[in-house]
Amino acid sequence: MISTHDERKHESLEAKLPENTDVIFVGAGPIGLATAIGLKSLDPHLSIVMAERYEEYQRKHNLIMDPTHLEMFMKATGTEHIKILSDLLADLKKNPRIRTNKLEEALKKVAKQKDVEIIQHKVSKQDLEHLSESKEHSLIVGADGTHSAVSENLFPEDNQIKHEFDFVLQLRYDIVNEEKPQPLKSMAFFQQMARDGMIANEYVGKTENKVTPVTMQMMISKEEYKLLEQYTSKKPLKFDHKNIPKLPKRLSEFVGRYLVKTLQQKSVQLSDIKISVNEAPATHAKKLVHKTSTGAPALLVGDAALGLSYFKGLNAGFESLATLFTLTGPSLESGLKDNKEAFNNALLKYQQWFLNSFAPRKVKEVESYSTWRINAAWNLMRTLRFTKLSSRVEHDNDPKYLIADYLNRQATAAAGKKINWDPYPHRPYNPEISLWTLDFIPYEYSVKKTIKIFTDYFTPYKAFSFQFKRDLRQPLADLALMGIGVVKFFGGIIALQPKFIGDGTLSFIRGALSLVTLGWLIKPFTKIIATAVIGPHKIEENDGLQLLVKKGRLLLDSKENDFQILVQHPKNKDSLVLQETKEAKLSVENITRVKHICFDINRKFNNSLKKGQLTAVSEIKEIEQFNIMREGSVKSDFESYFSLFA
């Protein structure tokens, strides 16, 4: 038996409408609400009902909103005196970033103050057919987005024109318990993009109650979009403690490294992270105004009329509403019911302006933005990746194991407990140091790297092709290092920071020594000789990898671990004794630290394989032992993996 609530839910839209409804909206998003506010402000006698599919607004991501367009709308509708709108305008002038649901909440309050009724109802084709045949309504407004049901059912066939430009992946999360969080360091982010040939940006929203929304947006190919198109902002791909979302390999590696750096620096609930994809096109309707069978006009607004990417759609929506109400204002102020002909004529003038002037100009803006801001930068990143101008040209593996480990730890942690996460506990300098690092670099690191300039003459090649090419590119890295040294030196003087003066000096000296000693010209010959005499260096002989194995074994032998268990006495079955065992459980903290070391060994091993370095370790055996180690919790599980590289 269907309940009263369910009966109401399954009623037709017409049955839900109050008597004498003048204007019906399909969709109650921000632009739809603003249109309703404008109509009601200019003609307070109108009875307006909005049918919205969702009880709560689905989108919560950040937008950049131009306050001048909101101000234009307020002047055209005479709503400057409404406090909610004037406060919103003042906030936007201070910070143009706003969450879409916050904007919608503010506009919904104003609409309800003006007695605009909002009902929850998913409008069907049958609903629209009934509405178009009713003589009671003066106007039907389609504010239902790019895939507008109003446009599809009440307008001529194929009413939408689509200009295809770009495709986007968006990763959204909240930073918690920070008053004014900063974005990830832009230079490190730039380097990551250059290494992967990607283009991305990070938008940090407005902090409210110590919660800050962040959106990382990256460009993807059409083929990648097609693989993920089911994950929209309303139905995103989510993280949980059992599964890491599966993305195409190139995207998975970039997103994974971004998350590792984010989780190292920020307090983020990984379960809040959502991934979605969307097209970044420009779409517009061929007609904005169309008479229904009864003569009442249907009007398209917002994305149903003009859908634009790159934060331009919402701004264009308010900008076009200012013109709409400037043209229709006189007929509305005199009363829509008594001035239908004048109102309809004003709508036609608005449509002419919109289609002939406004829409083409806005589409051109998106095209220009895509060409010169997006694809030009993307092509630069592809070029940097191809030429490998970055000093660190090797590609880390997908850090999904690190993220999976963090997820499991977070899922099993006590409620409200903060997970301190350091995925690379063995690194002497954290975060990692690379070219263009503007942070302070410890002096001992610079000294060690300076000594290495000379010792490198006598070491054999590990991977000839890879390292030979890197040696030839060394002058470019040296010049970059000298430039960074100059920046740090003078920055330290200006900021009165002696440590940066010293850091800048050492960086400059290191780059200059490498350049003037002509290592890029001489080293290839000396290293080839060393390789011929000593023999090629195998992966398991690499100093860094052996250091990891040593650190891992020291942790396995740590006194923090419980390597004694209670067993039955060999002679007296009723008593228990302590017995040494390799199968005893490791301490929880050491399990995490040892696993992270194993993850890094796996990363280094695979990177070296990619570079062409030789090894006596079976790749199949390494994968097999690595998978055993991932699920391991006893000493032998980890020792077996370390023994591969002994």
Side-chain angles (χ1 to χ4, degrees), residues 583-586 591 595 628-629 631-635 637-638:
E583 300 306 309
K585 292 283 184 180
L586 305 178
I591 287 176
K595 277 187 178 181
I628 293 172
M629 177 280 303
E631 304 299 325
S633 60
V634 296
K635 185 174 183 179
D637 295 330
F638 302 100

Side-chain angles (χ1 to χ4, degrees), residues 551-565 580-582 584-594 633-635 638:
K551 285 180 176 288
R553 283 177 162 167
L554 285 173
L555 283 171
L556 289 181
D557 294 332
S558 169
K559 292 181 180 179
E560 298 174 27
N561 300 319
D562 180 14
F563 294 134
Q564 292 183 321
I565 57 173
E580 294 287 333
T581 175
K582 290 185 177 180
K585 292 283 184 180
L586 305 178
S587 68
V588 174
E589 199 60 38
N590 274 359
I591 287 176
T592 298
R593 295 167 69 192
V594 174
S633 60
V634 296
K635 185 174 183 179
F638 302 100

Side-chain angles (χ1 to χ4, degrees), residues 18 105 114 132 152 171 179 186 237 342 369 382 500 620:
E105 287 170 9
K114 289 186 169 293
S132 65
E152 183 180 345
L171 185 150
E179 291 288 355
S186 57
L237 190 61
Y369 190 93
R382 289 184 181 121
F500 276 99
I620 296 174

Side-chain angles (χ1 to χ4, degrees), residues 67-78 89 318-323 326:
T68 58
H69 299 318
L70 175 62
E71 194 167 22
M72 289 165 58
F73 163 78
M74 291 167 65
K75 288 179 179 178
T77 54
L89 180 63
F318 276 100
E319 188 177 354
S320 61
L321 286 184
T323 300
T326 298

Side-chain angles (χ1 to χ4, degrees), residues 169-173 175 182-185 188-189 192-193 195-196 200-204 214-218 251-266 268 270 273 398-399 403 421:
L169 179 143
Q170 292 179 320
L171 185 150
R172 298 187 179 95
Y173 60 93
I175 297 172
Q182 298 299 314
L184 289 179
K185 291 160 188 172
F189 196 34
Q192 185 179 338
M193 288 191 291
R195 286 198 297 269
D196 289 357
N201 208 341
E202 190 182 53
Y203 301 94
V204 180
V214 179
T215 298
M216 191 279 283
Q217 180 169 283
M218 61 184 290
L251 305 184
S252 181
E253 291 179 358
F254 185 86
V255 169
R257 286 194 292 274
Y258 172 81
L259 283 177
V260 167
K261 289 184 179 179
T262 298
L263 294 169
Q264 278 184 280
Q265 298 179 30
K266 308 293 182 185
V268 178
L270 203 60
I273 295 177
D398 186 345
I403 298 172
W421 197 55

Side-chain angles (χ1 to χ4, degrees), residues 484-502:
I484 288 294
V486 170
V487 170
K488 286 185 176 181
F489 180 84
F490 286 105
I493 291 175
I494 294 170
L496 300 177
Q497 291 281 344
K499 69 176 187 177
F500 276 99
I501 297 173

Side-chain angles (χ1 to χ4, degrees), residues 42 72 245 248 259 265 288 300 357 370 439 523 593 601 608:
L42 294 169
M72 289 165 58
L259 283 177
Q265 298 179 30
L288 302 187
L300 300 178
S357 175
S370 173
D439 284 339
K523 278 183 184 179
R593 295 167 69 192
I601 290 175
S608 297

